[in-house]
Amino acid sequence: MIGATGVGKTARAIEVAKQYSCPIISADSRQIYRDLPIGTAAPTAQEQQQAKHYLVGFKALNETYSAGQFARDAEALLQQLFQSHDIVVVVGGSMMYVEALCNGLDDMPDIPHELREQIRQTYQQQGLEWLQSEVQRLDPAYWQEVDQQNPQRLMHCIEVCQISGQRYSELRRKAMGDRRLATSNGQWEVEYVLVERPREELYERINLRVEKMMEAGLLQEAIQAFEQLDIPTQPTANYDYSTLPNSVNTVGYKELLRYLHGEWTLEKAVEMIKQNSRHYAKRQMTWWRNRI
């Protein structure tokens, strides 16, 4: 079950899980982390009582986790769950997690340290606009789906393109034929369910959700996460946001960190969370519509 952020995937997945008495596997690259339940809109304790959820809140904030690791973990879970269930709901908006599980990912080339440092230094000298223009030039397809404000992802795309001579978007996909696993009744196959809403309604839901997150304590959650990761929460000049750990290098936390560093007012940070969430939702829908 796939769809844009804020569209209502969790509620719909629980409905299906209750209807078929089956479990849910989360395919969300941020809900894997503990201590971020508000900003990641992780299923609440009450929601998890309604249907068994897997791969939620099982990683520490300083741990790394990739789409390939998710695919391996989810596939192992499916092997177990299909022994007693004919249906398992996989729900999430993380495009590469779903892609890795359902279609597989190509092995990426190793990046020499010298090249990585060269690209990083150029970014520090020329800024985010240089990264954005390079990704647009090297891989227009990836540019349409990447978080265009995330320097780490942009730098990685440039690294792969330069070392391989190929587009990153082409390398990270491969046809794996039949990815069917044994179930109690034979084999399994993927059925995509795209949860959609009219754009205006979706954007209204996103804006309202951000406001509710702030009321629920998103700022305090972010401060606690930053302190746990030894990230400064006082006004800080020239902070290198490209060094943020993956867990908090995402919409909601990045904007609030700029507020804490004195770059933005809280009002502007909240508005930017709404805006960046809407932009992410648009990229998600473009991705899904091109693939199903």
Side-chain angles (χ1 to χ4, degrees):
M1 186 167 295
I2 53 180
T5 184
V7 77
K9 297 185 297 296
T10 297
R12 181 64 182 133
I14 290 174
E15 290 178 4
V16 174
K18 291 169 69 175
Q19 179 180 355
Y20 293 100
S21 299
C22 64
I24 295 172
I25 295 177
S26 171
D28 188 294
S29 64
R30 293 304 182 271
Q31 290 181 3
I32 65 172
Y33 294 107
R34 296 188 289 272
D35 305 317
L36 302 178
I38 300 173
T40 64
T44 64
Q46 181 180 11
E47 288 172 330
Q48 294 194 50
Q49 288 177 354
Q50 297 180 59
K52 176 65 176 176
H53 285 68
Y54 292 89
L55 302 186
V56 175
F58 70 104
K59 288 290 181 181
L61 296 180
N62 61 352
E63 291 186 86
T64 59
Y65 196 67
S66 68
Q69 288 173 305
F70 166 78
R72 290 190 292 273
D73 290 344
E75 190 165 316
L77 266 173
L78 288 170
Q79 292 278 20
Q80 298 173 18
L81 294 172
F82 278 137
Q83 301 308 308
S84 55
H85 299 85
D86 292 328
I87 295 175
V88 177
V89 179
V90 177
V91 59
S94 296
M95 291 87 80
M96 289 312 302
Y97 275 33
V98 176
E99 183 84 357
L101 176 61
C102 297
N103 300 312
L105 295 174
D106 276 333
D107 292 331
M108 289 295 167
D110 292 331
I111 308 299
H113 176 73
E114 296 77 11
L115 175 61
R116 180 160 289 163
E117 280 302 304
Q118 176 188 343
I119 292 172
R120 181 180 176 82
Q121 289 176 11
T122 306
Y123 159 58
Q124 291 176 336
Q125 294 168 0
Q126 301 189 34
L128 184 63
E129 290 185 0
W130 175 77
L131 291 179
Q132 293 171 332
S133 64
E134 279 296 284
V135 172
Q136 283 181 287
R137 179 179 67 84
L138 293 168
D139 194 340
Y142 185 63
W143 170 252
Q144 294 301 317
E145 62 198 42
V146 68
D147 178 353
Q148 298 169 1
Q149 302 298 315
N150 188 322
Q152 289 181 325
R153 294 186 181 180
L154 298 174
M155 283 190 285
H156 185 56
C157 172
I158 296 170
E159 292 167 355
V160 172
C161 290
Q162 289 195 7
I163 196 64
S164 68
Q166 300 179 60
R167 290 185 176 183
Y168 177 52
S169 59
E170 295 173 353
L171 270 180
R172 63 181 195 164
R173 301 187 198 103
K174 67 179 177 181
M176 291 189 67
D178 245 1
R179 285 180 59 83
R180 301 186 179 203
L181 305 177
T183 74
S184 59
N185 293 325
Q187 292 183 316
W188 72 279
E189 60 185 28
V190 175
E191 179 178 344
Y192 290 99
V193 177
L194 178 60
V195 182
E196 291 187 283
R197 294 179 186 272
R199 179 175 295 183
E200 290 186 4
E201 180 184 348
L202 175 61
Y203 286 177
E204 288 176 4
R205 285 175 60 91
I206 289 172
N207 292 340
L208 180 59
R209 186 167 78 160
V210 171
E211 292 171 5
K212 288 184 175 179
M213 285 179 174
M214 292 301 297
E215 293 171 1
L218 177 58
L219 178 58
Q220 187 59 38
E221 178 179 274
I223 292 172
Q224 291 173 350
F226 297 146
E227 290 176 344
Q228 186 176 333
L229 293 164
D230 295 323
I231 296 170
T233 57
Q234 301 299 319
T236 305
N238 301 318
Y239 183 79
D240 185 358
Y241 292 94
S242 69
T243 63
L244 283 174
N246 198 50
S247 57
V248 293
N249 188 18
T250 190
V251 176
Y253 302 98
K254 293 190 296 185
E255 294 85 354
L256 290 176
L257 187 57
R258 290 186 181 275
Y259 157 68
L260 294 170
H261 285 173
E263 297 181 25
W264 292 345
T265 64
L266 182 58
E267 181 180 12
K268 179 176 180 180
V270 172
E271 286 304 311
M272 291 304 297
I273 294 173
K274 294 178 180 179
Q275 177 179 305
N276 291 334
S277 296
R278 295 192 300 268
H279 289 170
Y280 180 52
K282 183 178 179 180
R283 290 195 299 275
Q284 286 175 303
M285 294 310 297
T286 299
W287 169 281
W288 300 128
R289 287 167 180 159
N290 288 338
R291 281 163 176 76
I292 63 173

